[in-house]
Every structure is written in structure tokens, then in C-alpha cells.
Amino acid sequence: MTDGNLSGFLVVSDAPEKAAEALRAAAVRFCTVDQNGKELTREEMTGECPQYMPNYVSDVHLTDLGPMILTDTKGELPKGMGEGMLRILVAELQAQEIAALVTTPPVDFALEDVPRIVL
């Protein structure tokens, strides 16, 4: 799903509650991924380098399709950033031994009245 500035990750799994927790853990980490896919430390986020990171990562939305999040990447999702986020999400799913399909939400998906887990 891309909507102007938003990109999304949808996790389809037979264990949606555990998948939601893995996605929540990944979402917290997404905020520190730069345009090259590197997960930056606090010390590296000084503002002195031209770092391109997401403006916003949503709470986890608990949809009928599976848990999902949206990220605001300022209108583009650099390949390195997308690969870095995917790597993080896969690592969080593997850490909890969750079999899942990671995909994007449908373009026309509406989030009205969808419950969420606050980060």
C-alpha cells in the first residue's frame, strides 16, 4: 500500500496475536532505519548527516487480513530503507518463531473502526 507518503506492511499468519506483537516490535525499530537500510543508534542520529528516515510509523492496526502498520517515508521508499525494514520485520517474526507472509495492504483498504495496538 502506498498512499502519497504512506507505505504499509501487512502480516498474514495463523498466529495473528503473536504476529501483531512482532510487528509492533519491528515498528518501533523502523523509526531508526535510514535511506540505506541501516538501523541507526541514538549516537548516530545526531542530525549532522543528511539522514533520511521515516517521519512516522503508525500503531499496529488489527485487521481481518492480519496486523498491519503504515509508515510515512516522505513520498518515497528508498530500496535500502524498504529492505532494512523488511529485514527487521522478518527477524522479529523469526525470533518469535512465527510463520507468516509479509505483504502490502490492499490499495483501497480503509482503516476506519479498525482496532489498533498503541506503540
Side-chain angles (χ1 to χ4, degrees):
M1 169 186 212
T2 56
D3 178 18
N5 293 334
L6 300 178
S7 300
F9 291 88
L10 170 65
V11 179
V12 180
S13 172
D14 289 338
E17 297 83 17
K18 287 178 71 177
E21 285 304 311
L23 185 56
R24 184 197 57 73
V28 171
R29 294 173 59 190
F30 285 179
C31 295
T32 66
V33 176
D34 73 4
Q35 71 274 9
N36 299 313
K38 181 178 181 197
E39 193 172 357
L40 303 176
T41 65
R42 285 215 182 270
E43 294 77 29
E44 292 172 316
M45 292 189 282
T46 63
E48 294 175 15
C49 299
Q51 297 162 339
Y52 183 84
M53 298 184 304
N55 281 345
Y56 166 79
V57 178
S58 75
D59 296 329
V60 175
H61 297 275
L62 304 173
T63 75
D64 291 339
L65 301 173
M68 66 173 273
I69 61 165
L70 300 174
T71 62
D72 180 350
T73 56
K74 306 173 198 115
E76 64 180 84
L77 180 61
K79 182 179 179 184
M81 183 184 287
E83 289 173 347
M85 290 177 172
L86 183 57
R87 183 183 65 251
I88 289 167
L89 179 51
V90 168
E92 292 291 348
L93 290 165
Q94 288 176 335
Q96 295 195 32
E97 300 179 350
I98 301 168
L101 169 70
V102 177
T103 187
T104 59
V107 174
D108 59 349
F109 193 81
L111 289 174
E112 292 85 35
D113 302 319
V114 172
R116 60 189 180 152
I117 299 172
V118 179
L119 295 180

